[in-house]
Amino acid sequence: MTLSGQRVLLVYGLMGELVAAFHPFGLDYMHPLRDWFAGQGADVSVVPLRTAESVSANAARLRAVLLEDPRPALIVAHSKGGLETLAALIEPAAQARCRGFLAMQSPFFGSPVADALLAAKPMEAAAGGLARLLRIGSGDGLKDLTTNARRLWMAAASDGVRRIVEALPVACLATALSEGEARGRERLHLAAAQWMEKRGHGPNDGLVPVSSALIPGARHLVLPGSHIATVSGGPGRDPVAMMRAGLETLFSAATQPAA
C-alpha cells in the first residue's frame, strides 16, 4: 500500500488523549504510529474525541470528520476507538469515505474489566465524576465497554457490521499477554490478564479478551503483548512493527477470503 498523500485518521481509546498529553514526560501513546505515518508521507491526524463520551456520541463526531473531506481515509483505531469507528461506518456515506479499518485491541464484545469496575455503584459514580473533572466526557463510555452492552449492540447491528466487512477491508489485531512477556508497566496488565483467564475469559491482553477483539467476517491477527503493546514503545514492545503487521493483514482482506 502506498501511503504518500494518503489520509490517515487515528482514533484513541479510553483516556487516550490524557496519556498522549504526557508525551513530553515519557508516555508515547500512539505517537510512534503517528510519526511513522508522517514519515511515509501520509496526511495523518488524530480524530478529536472526548474518549469517555458514549460510543454513539463519538461515532457521530467521527462520521462528521470522515464526511468533511472527500478523500477516503485509512482508519487505525485503538481499543474503544474501534467501537466508535465500527458504529460510524454503519452509515453508507461514512463507508464511502473509508479506505480501510484496522482495529487494534478493541473490545467489540466487551471487557470483563469494565464489568468489574461498574459492578460497584460507588466506582461507577467515581468514574463518571472523574471523566467530567478531566473533561474527557460524561463517563458513559465506560458503561459502553461492558460485556452486556456490547453483546446487545453487536447483535442489534449484526446486519450493518456484515455489510461493513463486505464493503471494506477490515482487520482486527488482538494481543494475548503471558507472564514471560510482561515487563515494566505491563506487569499491571499481567495481573488483570491472569484474573480474566482464571474466570474463563481465555487469552487476553489485560483488558480485552482475544475473543472480544475479533469481528466476525474480518481478517484476524493475534500477536503476543499487553493492551499497550500496539500503541506505546518500551522494553520488548515495537508498536510500529505490530501496526505494520496489522496493515498487511488489513490489505490482504481485499484479495483473500475473510477469516
Side-chain angles (χ1 to χ4, degrees):
M1 174 189 178
T2 301
L3 290 170
S4 181
Q6 169 70 50
R7 184 187 184 203
V8 177
L9 300 178
L10 303 181
V11 188
Y12 286 167
L14 183 66
M15 298 183 69
E17 70 270 53
L18 291 182
V19 183
F22 281 87
H23 181 51
F25 304 97
L27 296 180
D28 61 355
Y29 183 84
M30 266 194 164
H31 288 282
L33 311 186
R34 186 180 65 187
D35 292 346
W36 181 81
F37 276 117
Q40 301 299 308
D43 180 7
V44 58
S45 61
V46 175
V47 179
L49 301 176
R50 302 200 318 166
T51 63
E53 274 296 354
S54 68
V55 167
S56 61
N58 279 346
R61 294 188 182 103
L62 173 55
R63 193 177 298 119
V65 169
L66 275 170
L67 295 178
E68 71 187 11
D69 190 319
R71 297 174 297 163
L74 167 63
I75 304 177
V76 177
H78 180 238
S79 197
K80 179 174 177 280
L83 313 186
E84 290 150 355
T85 303
L86 189 66
L89 294 176
I90 291 285
E91 184 178 295
Q95 285 181 34
R97 297 289 173 85
C98 181
R99 184 176 180 185
F101 169 31
L102 173 61
M104 302 191 301
Q105 305 165 297
S106 294
F108 294 108
F109 293 91
S111 169
V113 174
D115 294 346
L117 287 174
L118 294 181
K121 290 300 179 183
M123 183 65 75
E124 180 179 355
L130 181 62
R132 290 188 290 273
L133 177 65
L134 296 174
R135 298 184 179 181
I136 61 172
S138 64
D140 289 341
L142 182 58
K143 300 175 187 176
D144 286 344
L145 298 179
T146 60
T147 55
N148 185 57
R150 288 307 306 168
R151 287 170 182 163
L152 288 173
W153 191 94
M154 291 295 286
S158 60
D159 287 345
V161 171
R162 176 181 51 78
R163 287 192 290 269
I164 291 170
V165 299
E166 289 175 351
L168 297 172
V170 178
C172 301
L173 193 168
T175 55
L177 182 64
S178 64
E179 186 165 4
E181 296 154 354
R183 300 176 179 88
R185 286 188 290 153
E186 292 182 312
R187 301 297 298 180
L188 294 175
H189 292 261
L190 179 62
Q194 293 172 334
W195 174 84
M196 278 195 275
E197 285 216 45
K198 288 178 181 178
R199 283 156 180 77
H201 299 293
N204 66 86
D205 61 16
L207 284 176
V208 179
V210 169
S211 59
S212 179
L214 306 178
I215 299 172
R219 301 294 293 181
H220 297 159
L221 176 64
V222 181
L223 298 174
S226 73
H227 196 67
I228 61 173
T230 62
V231 290
S232 180
R237 297 195 301 274
D238 188 343
V240 170
M242 296 183 81
M243 183 191 66
R244 290 180 66 180
L247 292 175
E248 290 173 5
T249 301
L250 173 68
F251 287 103
S252 72
T255 57
Q256 297 183 25

